[in-house]
Amino acid sequence: MTRYKINNLEEYFKDYKKSVREPKKFWDKIASENFTWYQEWEKVVDFNMAEADIKWFVNAKVNMTKNCIDRHLAKKGDKTAIIFEPNDPSEEALHISYTELHERVCKMANVLREQGVQKGDRVCIYLPMIPELAITTLACARIGAVHSVVFAGFSASAVAARINDSDCKMIITSDGGYRGNKTIDLKGIIDEALADTPCVTAVLVVKRTNSAVNMQEGRDQWLQPLLDAASDNNTAEIMDAEDPLFILYTSGSTGKPKGMVHTTAGYMVYAAYTFKNVFSYEDNDIFWCTADIGWITGHSYILYGPLLNGATTVIFEGVPSYPDYSRFWEVIVKHKVTQFYTAPTAIRALAKESLDYVQKYQLDTLKVIGSVGEPINEEAWHWYNDHVGNKRCPIVDTWWQTETGGILISPLPFVTPTKPTYATLPLPGIQPVLMDEKRNEIEGNQVVGSLCIKFPWPGIARTIWGDHERYKETYFSAFPGKYFTGDGALRDEVGYYRITGRVDDVVIVSGHNLGTAPIEDAINEHPAVAESAIVGFPHDIKGNALYGFVILKETGEYRDRENLSKEINQQISNQIGPIAKLDKIQFVSGLPKTRSGKIMRRILRKIAEGDYSNFGDTSTLLNPEIVEEIKNGKV
Ligand code: WT7
């Protein structure tokens, strides 16, 4: 028997085995019993891993918002769907019921249609964490427009690149946003981006900060008057299972950001199923995920997963340090939060502050606490367990990626015994394997290797927008027939997985996935820079920070190094965003390169970490003498 909710370890093993032996039957049952469809599928799954061609629920017809909202109205119309907790704690929190959410999404959907947005069009959403972010995203899903939410911390040129890559015809933004004691001029950033985005013909602006903004006649419109004039009667678009639901950009180890495309039915089924099980969600729970909706964590576990289950989800506009470091705990008490899901970088930052901040609060409504985004170190795990979960709430260390759509490896609370720093066991439907350098599967336990998944699951991204070749190349070529995650992992004696980190040129800084290549590109555009290389090094709070090795052009040699460093960071901030700034910059006369011209990053990583014990084999280096020089000049 397959059940929607797994209740104990025996049921987990039964369902897991079934999902491997009979994946079609397994997902057929989950999908047909827990969602509403206009028409069911002809085939559960159809795939060719070599071509990276994957389809789930073939030819089924469905609408995401029908499942997130409409079907709950009869029984749960008055239930709170969204609790909005503003940045400023003295501003009143909002409770948006399912009925009200339905009304607001329908109006917004009508506005989009009236503005000429049609099924299949791309809409860029660049908003702070306010209810309109959820409502506009859902409105796109309702009319079949493909949303591309861009985190409102990205710079103008980063937004412009994302808008152009997917040819968005509309941008939805706000006059500004609040973050702690700062006000951010979002419309100003968008105005700058719009100088380079010829595809955009309409801009809708939400009022949040009442800041003075520039409104360009014929292009920019305030959203509210359009909503006021719109009808709340809207018929949802009938979507094919494989119609794209959204694009979400993630950085890669090379070149431009990858627009990961998630389609409708598979993503829906997977987000809902994983939400229910990983957070052990029950009716009347209050779920709070602290991520931003601009990341996949927010898409799947602030918006879609909770709403699909008819849950109450918290949208928090602020930051953990404002007005002080007790904000998270205060919000948990205020809204009686039962599941709390955050990132190791936030946990480490809070653990550094006085314990009084957390001990003042009785966090006894909490049942489950979660972690996501990067490996959680042992110290942070224990602090979280001792002071937030009070050794009473299971910690779900959830491993997944933008590309996977939902959580793949995680304990199930009250089901899987947890183990600090381990994401533990795969969810039903997920078949992880560890691979060695010769591309062989490593059998048995107590082994390490590159983490791959050998069978598709409904939530996997289907392609990279406009570049299927790159999708194939990035994820399906290193280990033929398998999806390669880019992560390394260890499997312990009982089969639990521990994710050890990226094995490619991606560095995770404060939970943000940063490719080194685009940052190097940004640095190299500085007129005084000839070449650069970026590596990560361990950082107490951020997990990793960035260390840049920079070679100057002759003209740069005469310039003040401190000013140059500032300019380089400014350049990065302008092109990518402040999250990608370097913590350390070292000016060098050369970089360790192999005879084929590849930078030996492994050596730079060791130097950045301050570990000079063993640089490994340096015999293939063209310029071995540079290693000593760089080491001596370490900052
Ligand atoms: C990368 C994906 C989807 C979650 C948000 C980040 C790392 C994520 C864990 C974890 C160890 C983790 C991996 C992964 N990661 N969760 N629980 N333990 N590492 O999504 O930006 O696409 O990043 O984050 O390295 O590949 P993302």
Side-chain angles (χ1 to χ4, degrees):
M1 199 192 76
T2 302
R3 58 221 113 210
Y4 186 55
K5 169 82 195 291
I6 295 167
N7 297 297
N8 55 52
L9 202 55
E10 197 189 329
E11 289 182 1
Y12 163 76
F13 283 119
K14 267 194 190 157
D15 283 15
Y16 185 76
K17 280 184 192 135
K18 166 141 194 194
S19 77
V20 172
R21 236 185 301 118
E22 299 176 294
K24 292 183 187 174
K25 268 199 188 153
F26 178 85
W27 289 113
D28 187 290
K29 189 154 193 295
I30 299 279
S32 68
E33 287 178 2
N34 299 286
F35 303 88
T36 55
W37 304 87
Y38 296 111
Q39 180 188 303
E40 288 208 0
W41 43 96
E42 283 156 17
K43 237 177 145 175
V44 178
V45 59
D46 205 356
F47 67 97
N48 174 345
M49 293 291 256
E51 289 305 312
D53 193 357
I54 301 167
K55 294 188 180 74
W56 280 89
F57 309 111
V58 180
N59 286 337
K61 305 285 177 238
V62 68
N63 182 280
M64 180 58 127
T65 65
K66 279 282 194 193
N67 281 279
C68 285
I69 310 172
D70 302 46
R71 71 173 162 139
H72 305 311
L73 293 176
K75 283 194 188 140
K76 290 185 176 169
D78 294 336
K79 180 176 174 172
T80 300
I82 292 174
I83 297 176
F84 170 60
E85 172 66 23
N87 178 62
D88 178 352
S90 65
E91 188 183 325
E92 211 175 318
L94 298 178
H95 289 73
I96 302 172
S97 69
Y98 273 92
T99 302
E100 190 188 344
L101 182 63
H102 181 253
E103 206 178 286
R104 293 182 67 176
V105 169
C106 285
K107 283 192 171 202
M108 186 66 215
N110 286 330
V111 168
L112 290 175
R113 279 189 181 144
E114 281 156 22
Q115 295 298 314
V117 179
Q118 292 173 359
K119 176 173 171 173
D121 287 345
R122 276 79 58 206
V123 173
C124 173
I125 301 177
Y126 187 76
L127 282 173
M129 280 283 283
I130 53 177
E132 286 79 358
L133 174 50
I135 288 162
T136 53
T137 303
L138 292 164
C140 286
R142 190 163 185 93
I143 67 164
V146 181
H147 56 76
S148 168
V149 181
V150 175
F151 172 59
F154 275 113
S155 69
S157 68
V159 192
R162 286 158 175 75
I163 289 172
N164 288 330
D165 181 72
S166 48
D167 227 350
C168 295
K169 74 188 303 186
M170 176 186 273
I171 306 179
I172 304 173
T173 188
S174 69
D175 52 355
Y178 299 119
R179 258 182 95 72
N181 51 22
K182 287 192 223 135
T183 303
I184 298 159
D185 177 17
L186 298 179
K187 179 62 167 60
I189 295 171
I190 287 299
D191 287 342
E192 208 184 313
L194 279 161
D196 294 319
T197 55
C199 47
V200 176
T201 52
V203 180
L204 301 184
V205 187
V206 176
K207 219 173 222 174
R208 174 61 182 142
T209 56
N210 289 310
S211 320
V213 295
N214 154 62
M215 295 291 281
Q216 187 176 305
E217 184 77 43
R219 185 193 71 188
D220 304 352
Q221 297 177 81
W222 290 106
L223 179 59
Q224 196 55 50
L226 301 176
L227 286 169
D228 292 341
S231 150
D232 59 9
N233 196 335
N234 176 279
T235 308
E237 194 76 41
I238 297 177
M239 303 301 288
D240 186 82
E242 286 298 335
D243 279 337
L245 175 68
F246 65 85
I247 300 170
L248 192 57
Y249 286 87
T250 183
S251 37
S253 45
T254 55
K256 60 175 190 172
K258 298 176 292 206
M260 302 312 309
V261 177
H262 283 282
T263 58
T264 308
Y267 174 83
M268 173 183 83
V269 169
Y270 200 69
Y273 176 74
T274 53
F275 174 77
K276 176 79 178 170
N277 283 288
V278 173
F279 299 103
S280 190
Y281 171 75
E282 299 293 346
D283 264 351
N284 305 322
D285 283 349
I286 311 283
F287 181 82
W288 182 20
C289 164
T290 69
D292 193 286
I293 292 178
W295 308 115
I296 191 71
T297 308
H299 278 55
S300 301
Y301 301 112
I302 295 177
L303 215 51
Y304 290 121
L307 296 179
L308 285 163
N309 283 282
T312 301
T313 182
V314 176
I315 292 184
F316 174 50
E317 184 183 26
V319 293
S321 55
Y322 179 82
D324 66 35
Y325 289 98
S326 61
R327 187 66 190 278
F328 274 1
W329 325 127
E330 186 202 298
V331 172
I332 290 173
V333 171
K334 177 173 173 189
H335 296 301
K336 303 187 172 58
V337 171
T338 47
Q339 286 94 347
F340 177 68
Y341 189 30
T342 195
T345 185
I347 298 168
R348 287 189 298 263
L350 293 166
K352 256 191 107 107
E353 301 301 325
S354 160
L355 262 186
D356 294 348
Y357 285 121
V358 55
Q359 283 177 341
K360 270 196 310 221
Y361 294 89
Q362 290 281 325
L363 303 177
D364 43 20
T365 54
L366 286 178
K367 296 198 294 197
V368 176
I369 56 179
S371 168
V372 62
E374 61 187 303
I376 180 166
N377 50 307
E378 188 125 13
E379 212 182 331
W381 195 97
H382 284 293
W383 188 89
Y384 201 29
N385 188 42
D386 293 352
H387 304 295
V388 180
N390 281 315
K391 296 187 173 138
R392 192 176 51 72
C393 305
I395 296 180
V396 288
D397 177 357
T398 63
W399 173 83
W400 57 300
Q401 311 177 293
T402 304
E403 296 85 339
T404 69
I407 296 162
L408 300 195
I409 305 184
S410 171
L412 302 183
F414 316 107
V415 171
T416 320
T418 59
K419 175 173 176 181
T421 77
Y422 280 75
T424 75
L425 297 173
L427 300 196
I430 305 306
Q431 302 186 35
V433 285
L434 296 179
M435 307 297 290
D436 68 17
E437 277 161 16
K438 298 201 179 94
R439 301 174 161 190
N440 294 321
E441 196 174 323
I442 309 171
E443 310 268 351
N445 288 343
Q446 285 190 295
V447 292
V448 292
S450 293
L451 179 62
C452 289
I453 314 290
K454 70 174 177 190
F455 194 86
W457 61 99
I460 188 175
R462 303 297 195 259
T463 191
I464 291 174
W465 184 265
D467 199 348
H468 194 69
E469 268 312 303
R470 187 177 180 200
Y471 178 66
K472 229 166 88 174
E473 171 66 30
T474 311
Y475 304 103
F476 297 87
S477 70
F479 302 94
K482 300 182 175 66
Y483 168 80
F484 175 45
T485 66
D487 284 329
L490 167 163
R491 190 161 55 220
D492 78 356
E493 61 286 355
V494 301
Y496 274 16
Y497 287 88
R498 176 191 198 178
I499 313 304
T500 47
R502 302 291 307 181
V503 296
D504 56 12
D505 294 330
V506 169
V507 184
I508 300 186
V509 178
S510 300
H512 301 303
N513 192 328
L514 300 174
T516 52
I519 303 174
E520 288 162 3
D521 290 347
I523 299 173
N524 298 348
E525 276 181 33
H526 188 288
V529 172
E531 201 185 344
S532 61
I534 303 295
V535 295
F537 69 99
H539 184 281
D540 278 357
I541 293 174
K542 301 183 190 178
N544 298 291
L546 297 175
Y547 192 122
F549 298 89
V550 177
I551 305 176
L552 292 174
K553 284 184 188 157
E554 221 175 291
T555 48
E557 287 294 341
Y558 304 102
R559 303 238 354 241
D560 178 64
R561 299 290 192 269
E562 209 167 301
N563 283 338
L564 272 175
S565 298
K566 278 190 196 141
E567 288 173 21
I568 286 171
N569 265 332
Q570 191 55 45
Q571 181 90 14
I572 295 173
S573 197
N574 293 346
Q575 282 206 20
I576 299 163
I579 45 176
K581 284 203 232 172
L582 311 181
D583 269 40
K584 291 186 180 174
I585 300 183
Q586 179 180 352
F587 295 97
V588 295
S589 69
L591 294 165
K593 286 193 180 167
T594 62
R595 277 162 219 285
S596 59
K598 266 189 88 174
I599 298 171
M600 225 188 246
R601 285 170 194 277
R602 150 174 82 73
I603 293 180
L604 296 177
R605 249 178 244 129
K606 286 226 158 191
I607 293 176
E609 283 169 15
D611 169 11
Y612 308 137
S613 55
N614 177 12
F615 286 126
D617 180 13
T618 53
S619 62
T620 56
L621 278 184
L622 201 58
N623 51 349
E625 71 290 344
I626 199 74
V627 177
E628 198 62 19
E629 183 204 305
I630 298 181
K631 198 176 104 183
N632 293 335
K634 182 179 184 298
V635 290

